[in-house]
Amino acid sequence: MSYPWFALQVRSRYENIVTAHLSGMGYESFLPLYMCRRRWSDRFKEIECPLFPGYVFCRLNPLNRLPILLIPGVSLIVGMGKTPIPIDETEIGAIQAAVKSGLPSQAWPFVQIGQRVRIEHGPLCGLEGVLLDFSGRHRLVLSVTLLQRSIAVQVEDAWVTPIPLNPRAYSGLGNTPAVAL
């Protein structure tokens, strides 16, 4: 049986440490990274940075979360009140596909309104997201609704097909932000 994905809020710059602990304990974890350019006093350097700073994704049994909360650096499991809320499987799958594709990506402000598109060609074929034009290049914005965070992946114009606007079903969460446990 496969447990759902949850977001773990972690201390600043503890993402890699928490991911290593989770792997050592046998948990499936996911820390999406991207290459970013940082300036040192004497040079620029390309380093891997988390796409969702302060968060690590993990499959876990929500009824047995104490071992996770005891990992150094883990602050809480994101949810409502004392109830952890799982991340939508399709959202995690889309982020995993974007990272695996090797296409340039970066952290992006959360977007709810915009033209929804489906990728019909290329390494992200089948994914859906919001298409934006930024600095003359098209980007597909993929979101993790619970965290109110997004990433943007550069895509080719010919890969996208617009999706007709349909009213979304009521999710029960509304616009209320998630409360940390």
Side-chain angles (χ1 to χ4, degrees):
M1 179 184 160
S2 183
Y3 293 113
W5 287 101
F6 290 89
L8 307 179
Q9 188 175 33
V10 300
R11 287 180 53 189
S12 178
R13 298 189 178 145
Y14 268 66
E15 295 90 354
N16 288 319
I17 295 167
V18 169
T19 302
H21 271 85
L22 288 167
S23 295
M25 294 170 69
Y27 288 96
E28 183 180 354
S29 63
F30 175 50
L31 175 59
L33 301 169
Y34 74 105
M35 294 304 290
C36 63
R37 198 175 153 131
R38 296 294 165 128
R39 182 184 177 141
W40 269 250
S41 60
D42 60 338
R43 68 194 184 307
F44 284 95
K45 188 174 181 180
E46 294 263 331
I47 62 171
E48 284 188 323
C49 297
L51 278 168
F52 299 93
Y55 295 95
V56 172
F57 301 102
C58 178
R59 284 190 187 272
L60 62 99
N61 178 352
L63 301 176
N64 184 23
R65 56 187 181 249
L66 185 61
I68 301 288
L69 295 170
L70 294 176
I71 294 173
V74 173
S75 301
L76 49 93
I77 301 171
V78 178
M80 288 285 209
K82 294 189 181 275
T83 307
I85 297 179
I87 304 286
D88 189 316
E89 197 76 34
T90 59
E91 292 178 348
I92 290 289
I95 304 265
Q96 287 174 325
V99 169
K100 186 177 177 183
S101 76
L103 294 170
S105 59
Q106 66 193 67
W108 200 261
F110 183 73
V111 178
Q112 286 188 353
I113 300 169
Q115 177 63 52
R116 289 201 54 84
V117 295
R118 179 176 295 114
I119 303 295
E120 298 292 342
H121 305 284
L124 302 178
C125 186
L127 293 184
E128 295 181 7
V130 179
L131 184 68
L132 297 180
D133 186 34
F134 181 73
S135 299
R137 294 193 171 127
H138 286 103
R139 301 190 190 279
L140 178 70
V141 177
L142 303 170
S143 300
V144 177
T145 308
L146 180 65
L147 298 181
Q148 298 281 298
R149 302 271 181 111
S150 302
I151 67 167
V153 181
Q154 190 172 315
V155 294
E156 299 294 326
D157 298 349
W159 293 355
V160 301
T161 303
I163 297 174
L165 292 175
N166 290 338
R168 288 185 161 184
Y170 176 72
S171 68
L173 293 177
N175 290 334
T176 307
V179 175
L181 292 177

